[in-house]
């Protein structure tokens, strides 16, 4: 009887899947490096408290947590931001700011597996720590935009929806909303982009808002662009910061990828100023990316005010969008040389030539077990080898091997010593 011992929501990365992932990782890495970010990583396991205190209720519900053999309450990392805050607080006195770090951790969340959502995923994290200027917010948005463009996507495929938490909280507190209502209100606002206006209306009614408050929420939700924001009668520091970010996005020539969106407030507790999410334009799916400013998080660890901003971009939704757009190159295994030997007398030379070529950066294979030459040739084609080297007693006696180009069929006699020069 066949027994399936795989775990729900976990992923088996077969070579063709890993090949696609590796391409994404390569682009992520090269883009972050091109902006001067340094790669780092943290542990896979952290204390449960780190998330209980730092991430907020939503993430804690989704934790894979356990008690270890020493009775410690631990969790598999669902995200990297609390780890960054914990790590930076240990060294923040010694390193010059801003700290620009990126990482591609494997994260685990106990969510209901569905399209775009799994229990295990990779998440590209790009963060700037120790910089409060709006230009840092724009820089991380720019890394995200460039990464997606370098994977082949354009402004027709995705949009960065931007808002500012201080703008939203400042606006609602000026209207006299108390803290209890604000929490529930954020949930309704966050949901407004995913449901129809009637659902939003009835959710607002259930909150028991005064008429004037209800009107104010509607007015807020009707803001559609940075232009609307400019003429919106409210003035607060969050709005100013937001408008500054939009003008910097224009200067950085990435404004066509970006839009103001009042429904973006972000579910994680630690966000303070700028917040953003990136969505595919075509289908309603989970966000490709989410991030923003978290100016208070590091203070909780270090006692010192250290502003920070960054984002997390998952591989799952992104992988689906790339596949949908036909932007996934076909997987083909290929090598440079396949060495065919006529008898095992040539095994010794096979190994030596293979080693020498591999040390020069060539990809080389040969059959482990001696099988007929014809079958070895068939295997060479199957693994898409560019060339085949044929080693037999006759060739060796003349100090040469037959080198065959499998694409053209052209054969040449190559001196054996040339493989060792
Ligand atoms: P987040 O919005 O929870 O933010 O996640 C960011 C991205 O990770 C999401 O947009 C999504 O692409 C991906 N993601 C999250 N959960 C799953 C899942 N279950 N399956 C597949 N993909 C998923 C954060 O995690 C913040 N720590 C990001 C950040 C970094 N903020 C500042 N720096």
């Amino acid at each position: 009887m066949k027994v399936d011992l795989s775990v729900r929501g976990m992923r088996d990365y077969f070579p063709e899947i890993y090949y696609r992932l590796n391409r994404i990782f390569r682009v992520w890495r090269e883009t972050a490096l091109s902006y001067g970010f340094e790669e780092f990583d943290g542990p896979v396991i952290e204390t449960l408290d780190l998330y209980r205190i730092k991430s907020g209720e939503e993430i804690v519900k989704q934790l894979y947590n356990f008690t270890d053999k020493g009775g410690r309450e631990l969790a598999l990392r669902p995200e990297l931001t609390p780890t960054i805050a914990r790590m930076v607080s240990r060294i923040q006195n010694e390193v010059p700011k801003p700290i620009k770090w990126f990482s591609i951790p494997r994260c685990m969340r106990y969510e209901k597996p569905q399209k775009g959502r799994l229990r295990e995923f990779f998440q590209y994290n790009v963060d700037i720590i120790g910089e409060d200027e709006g230009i840092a917010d724009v820089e991380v948005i720019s890394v995200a935009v460039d990464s997606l463009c370098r994977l082949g996507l354009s402004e027709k495929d995705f949009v960065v929806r931007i808002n500012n938490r201080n703008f939203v909280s400042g606006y609602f507190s000026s209207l006299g909303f108390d803290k209890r209502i604000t929490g529930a209100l954020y949930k309704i606002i966050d949901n407004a982009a995913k449901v129809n206006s009637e659902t939003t209306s009835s959710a607002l009614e259930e909150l028991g808002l005064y008429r004037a408050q209800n009107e104010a929420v509607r007015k807020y939700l009707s803001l559609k662009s940075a232009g609307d924001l400019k003429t919106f009668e409210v003035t607060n520091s969050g709005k100013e910061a937001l408008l500054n970010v939009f003008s910097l996005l224009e200067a950085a020539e990435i404004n066509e990828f970006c839009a103001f969106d009042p429904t973006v407030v972000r579910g994680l507790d630690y966000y303070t100023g700028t917040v953003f999410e990136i969505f595919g334009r075509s289908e309603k799916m989970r966000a490709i990316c989410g991030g923003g400013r978290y100016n208070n998080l590091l203070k909780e660890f270090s006692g010192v005010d250290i502003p920070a901003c960054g984002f997390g971009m998952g591989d799952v939704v992104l992988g689906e969008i790339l596949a949908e757009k036909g932007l996934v190159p076909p997987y083909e295994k290929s090598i440079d040389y396949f060495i065919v030997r006529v008898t095992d007398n040539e095994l010794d030379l096979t190994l030596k030539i293979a080693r020498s070529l591999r040390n020069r950066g060539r990809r080389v294979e040969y059959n482990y077990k001696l099988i007929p030459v014809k079958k070895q040739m068939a295997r060479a084609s199957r693994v898409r080898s560019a060339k085949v080297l044929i080693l037999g007693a006759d060739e060796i006696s003349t100090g040469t091997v037959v080198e065959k180009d499998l694409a053209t069929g052209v054969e040449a006699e190559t001196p054996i010593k040339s493989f060792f020069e």
Side-chain angles (χ1 to χ4, degrees):
M1 197 180 67
K2 254 190 171 173
V3 189
D4 182 5
L5 293 176
S6 53
V7 180
R8 187 166 139 83
M10 300 297 129
R11 299 157 78 186
D12 292 331
Y13 303 94
F14 291 103
E16 60 271 32
I17 296 172
Y18 214 81
Y19 170 83
R20 283 182 220 138
L21 264 179
N22 251 333
R23 177 175 164 259
I24 294 176
F25 295 166
R26 214 167 27 245
V27 170
W28 281 350
R29 207 164 256 130
E30 279 165 10
T31 310
L33 289 171
S34 75
Y35 280 74
F37 284 79
E38 296 172 280
E39 189 160 5
F40 83 104
D41 203 351
V44 174
I45 296 173
E46 291 275 14
T47 61
L48 179 58
D49 276 344
L50 184 72
Y51 306 109
R52 236 186 335 226
I53 302 164
K54 308 301 167 204
S55 299
E57 194 193 333
E58 192 175 321
I59 285 266
V60 170
K61 272 193 277 174
Q62 298 167 348
L63 278 177
Y64 272 97
N65 57 308
F66 60 98
T67 307
D68 78 358
K69 290 176 179 153
R72 298 169 198 90
E73 284 196 285
L74 303 174
L76 298 182
R77 63 181 171 197
E79 57 156 339
L80 199 64
T81 311
T83 300
I84 297 180
R86 185 182 61 67
M87 285 173 64
V88 169
S89 70
R90 289 181 54 194
I91 50 139
Q92 57 88 17
N93 270 332
E94 298 133 47
V95 289
K97 318 254 178 347
I99 297 167
K100 293 163 65 183
W101 281 2
F102 81 97
S103 188
I104 308 178
R106 197 183 280 207
C107 298
M108 318 288 281
R109 291 188 193 179
Y110 195 81
E111 290 199 65
K112 191 167 182 270
Q114 54 192 282
K115 196 172 161 68
R117 236 177 247 242
L118 295 172
R119 289 182 174 171
E120 178 191 346
F121 57 98
F122 288 93
Q123 198 196 51
Y124 179 38
N125 276 257
V126 175
D127 290 86
I128 300 180
I129 295 128
E131 184 58 72
D132 200 21
E133 292 293 320
I135 189 73
D137 304 16
V138 170
E139 186 91 330
V140 293
I141 292 172
S142 182
V143 175
V145 167
D146 276 0
S147 300
L148 296 176
C149 290
R150 290 184 194 188
L151 284 164
L153 297 170
S154 74
E155 74 278 7
K156 293 190 191 76
D157 303 313
F158 70 90
V159 56
V160 188
R161 300 192 190 147
I162 307 171
N163 198 357
N164 184 301
R165 276 248 190 152
N166 293 336
F167 163 56
V168 188
S169 61
Y171 175 55
F172 289 119
S173 66
S174 73
L175 293 166
F177 285 79
D178 69 36
K179 252 206 153 132
R180 183 192 58 84
I181 289 200
T182 321
L185 184 60
Y186 279 11
K187 284 213 169 76
I188 298 172
I189 290 174
D190 182 46
N191 234 352
K194 299 163 206 147
V195 299
N196 59 30
S197 60
E198 287 81 50
T199 311
T200 304
S201 295
S202 59
L204 286 175
E205 262 161 44
E206 271 172 40
L207 263 191
L209 303 182
Y210 299 119
R211 238 183 65 187
Q213 288 178 320
N214 206 320
E215 281 288 295
V217 177
R218 274 165 207 291
K219 212 161 175 191
Y220 169 78
L221 284 174
S222 72
L223 298 173
K224 291 280 173 274
S225 65
D228 287 354
L229 183 67
K230 252 184 213 157
T231 53
F232 191 50
E233 69 265 26
V234 174
T235 315
N236 63 34
S237 63
K239 178 178 161 182
E240 268 167 40
L242 195 48
L243 289 174
N244 177 44
V245 161
F246 274 102
S247 81
L248 289 168
L249 289 168
E250 209 170 322
E253 296 182 331
I254 51 170
N255 53 316
E256 73 267 37
F257 293 92
C258 303
F260 166 67
D261 189 330
T263 66
V264 172
V265 285
R266 308 278 297 136
L268 293 158
D269 280 357
Y270 47 67
Y271 290 111
T272 50
T274 303
V275 278
F276 63 92
E277 285 179 343
I278 304 184
F279 284 89
R281 290 205 195 252
S282 57
E283 212 193 323
K284 282 221 152 117
M285 230 198 278
R286 194 191 180 127
I288 305 171
C289 172
R293 208 157 247 297
Y294 48 101
N295 282 355
N296 300 333
L297 189 58
L298 275 106
K299 189 171 184 178
E300 295 182 40
F301 289 94
S302 63
V304 188
D305 260 327
I306 308 173
C309 64
F311 68 78
M313 180 185 290
D315 71 297
V316 182
V317 175
L318 175 60
E320 282 174 14
I321 291 176
L322 291 175
E324 193 186 288
K325 306 275 170 202
L327 290 169
V328 180
Y331 173 66
E332 270 167 9
K333 176 182 168 163
S334 65
I335 60 168
D336 300 305
Y337 290 97
F338 194 95
I339 308 178
V340 168
R341 65 187 186 279
V342 180
T343 71
D344 268 342
N345 292 334
E346 292 84 50
L347 182 59
D348 194 55
L349 185 59
T350 300
L351 296 176
K352 288 190 169 63
I353 293 178
R355 183 144 205 270
S356 180
L357 285 171
R358 286 168 179 161
N359 284 341
R360 290 189 216 167
R362 302 278 187 270
R363 293 163 299 170
V364 185
E365 282 194 80
Y366 51 84
N367 225 64
Y368 300 133
K369 191 173 164 181
L370 185 67
I371 53 172
V373 167
K374 229 172 138 182
K375 285 197 172 161
Q376 292 184 58
M377 294 297 288
R379 173 130 192 262
S381 301
R382 218 170 38 245
V383 295
R384 303 180 66 86
S385 187
K387 288 181 172 170
V388 168
L389 302 178
I390 302 163
L391 274 61
D394 291 351
E395 287 86 359
I396 291 173
S397 69
T398 61
T400 58
V401 298
V402 173
E403 182 166 339
K404 182 173 179 181
D405 186 311
L406 285 188
T408 60
V410 174
E411 287 187 7
E413 293 211 339
T414 307
I416 291 172
K417 65 175 186 342
S418 69
F419 296 112
F420 300 101
E421 280 165 350

